[in-house]
Every structure is written in structure tokens, then in C-alpha cells.
Amino acid sequence: DGGITQSPKYLFRKEGQNVTLSCEQNLNHDAMYWYRQDPGQGLRLIYYSQIVNDFQKGDIAEGYSVSREKKESFPLTVTSAQKNPTAFYLCASSVTGGDYSNQPQHFGDGTRLSIL
Amino acid sequence: RKEVEQDPGPFNVPEGATVAFNCTYSNSASQSFFWYRQDCRKEPKLLMSVYSSGNEDGRFTAQLNRASQYISLLIRDSKLSDSATYLCAVKGTALIFGKGTTLSVSS
């Protein structure tokens, strides 16, 4: 089945540790996104990528890094510089361009990150 | 003014009630609008897109008012299974989300 796969579902980070969240999609979507959601809050954009080998900072990029070496994959690294990483992380993808500019984003089922 | 604002609720309604949510947005150039549903501890799922002329999907009706820069979602004949958080989203480079409105439908 086509979809977006995030792993792991739950992740624990120790002090000073970098951790990487995986996001893979087989929908052939050009654009991919990372959001963070805190309890009782909406989704805030961390990074997005509209094409392979290119990505842009969102509203809260500090303490995070991404790469987009393949169309299917958009991993997010939460670095030790992110002092409050506990949140629900959501990856999304969408088609882009032309007649598809008004298409919605579709989400993976998320990764919950906590500090040990 | 925040980019996308919603009344957080909660809205507590009995089964069978009609309930309406509004969402305002600040960027008058926005072109695409959506409503998502999010269940507790789950990812948001697309409920419906919002078209300029308004659109309906079963018990759900979405409206767009460009002059006042708001979108609305009307749910008729509420079911217990409609209990969830409803997020409005406005397309910029990426989707910008409101904080969501919580709906609780009781029997």
C-alpha cells in the first residue's frame, strides 16, 4: 500500500545525544515536511523540502537538521542543541507544482520523542 | 495576529446536534484551505478540502469567506465517532495549521 512510514514510533533521547527520525514515502511525492506538535498545540513547521537535494527552514528549525538525498526519504535529526525535544513529530508529503499546487499534505503516523 | 486562528473549545454537544467551527487566517493571498481531523495521539487525517463555492461531504459542509478571511466547518447530526480535534490548515509554502478545536459528542 502507498503511504508514509515513520520510525520509530517511540524514541528516547539522553542528554547530549543526537537522534534521527526516519520518514519514508512511496507516494512519488516531490515535497516532504516535518512538523512538531506539543500537547494541546497545533503543528509547527520545522523543515520542508520541495525537491531532492534542497530543503528550507520552517518556523522552528533551530536544533534540528535534515537531508533529502532521495525522493522517498526525508530524515530529521534532533541535535543536542534542541533543549526541549519532547514532542510528537509528524512527517508529511504532497505533490507540488502546476495543477497540483492546491493538493493537501498527507501524514505519517508520527514519532513520539521523550528525554530520558 | 496569528496566521491561522481557531477557537480551541472544547465544544461539548449531544448526539444529533449541529455544530460549527470557524477558523480565521491572516494572509489574504492564501489559495488553498483544508480541514483535518486528529484523534487523540494520532496523526491528522484530511477531512475535506475547502472550495471557493463551498462544498459538502455527507454530514460535513465547508465554507470559505475570502472577504472576511475565514473558513468554516459545519457538522450536522453529530455522532459519537465525530469526537476529535478539528484542525484548519491554510496553504503557504507548506500548510499552516491552527491549534485545533476539540469536539466531544455525548450520548
Side-chain angles (χ1 to χ4, degrees):
Chain A
D1 284 354
I4 304 169
T5 301
Q6 290 187 241
S7 62
K9 221 169 179 56
Y10 300 94
L11 187 58
F12 298 91
R13 196 192 87 169
K14 295 179 183 178
E15 287 288 336
Q17 186 182 41
N18 293 352
V19 292
T20 298
L21 284 59
S22 170
C23 179
E24 304 277 331
Q25 54 98 1
N26 61 6
L27 299 168
N28 200 33
H29 287 171
D30 288 309
M32 297 186 74
Y33 314 84
W34 274 105
Y35 290 88
R36 167 183 172 142
Q37 187 176 34
D38 293 280
Q41 301 295 310
L43 281 68
R44 293 185 290 168
L45 183 66
I46 304 173
Y47 267 99
Y48 63 97
S49 167
Q50 294 191 299
I51 197 168
V52 174
N53 292 323
D54 186 53
F55 49 83
Q56 306 294 330
K57 291 182 179 180
D59 300 319
I60 55 165
E62 186 174 347
Y64 300 97
S65 65
V66 293
S67 62
R68 187 85 188 277
E69 296 176 2
K70 297 187 300 182
K71 188 175 184 178
E72 302 80 19
S73 178
F74 191 39
L76 173 74
T77 296
V78 184
T79 74
S80 57
Q82 173 47 247
K83 298 305 179 190
N84 185 22
T86 298
F88 187 35
Y89 290 86
L90 288 155
C91 178
S93 69
S94 69
V95 294
T96 58
D99 291 342
Y100 302 105
S101 60
N102 295 330
Q103 291 299 305
Q105 293 170 193
H106 298 278
F107 287 86
D109 57 7
T111 293
R112 292 193 180 276
L113 176 62
S114 301
I115 295 182
L116 280 178
Chain B
R1 181 181 177 185
K2 292 187 178 168
E3 291 192 78
V4 180
E5 291 198 78
Q6 292 182 252
D7 181 345
F11 284 58
N12 298 306
V13 303
E15 273 186 294
T18 295
V19 62
F21 308 136
N22 285 335
C23 171
T24 58
Y25 61 94
S26 60
N27 185 353
S28 59
S30 299
Q31 294 295 319
S32 305
F33 310 89
F34 307 93
W35 282 102
Y36 282 77
R37 170 190 169 131
Q38 186 174 27
D39 292 293
C40 188
R41 300 180 66 81
K42 299 285 190 181
E43 77 277 19
K45 293 189 177 175
L46 180 67
L47 180 65
M48 58 197 304
S49 302
V50 185
Y51 301 122
S52 296
S53 54
N55 48 299
E56 189 174 303
D57 182 1
R59 298 181 293 108
F60 299 84
T61 300
Q63 296 276 354
L64 168 63
N65 184 319
R66 286 192 186 274
S68 301
Q69 293 180 214
Y70 77 82
I71 61 174
S72 64
L73 177 68
L74 183 78
I75 305 176
R76 291 183 300 278
D77 189 22
S78 298
K79 311 290 185 192
L80 293 174
S81 57
D82 293 334
S83 297
T85 297
Y86 291 84
L87 302 165
C88 67
V90 176
K91 187 102 181 266
T93 308
L95 284 183
I96 303 166
F97 288 84
K99 291 187 176 181
T101 299
T102 300
L103 172 65
S104 178
V105 182
S106 57
S107 58

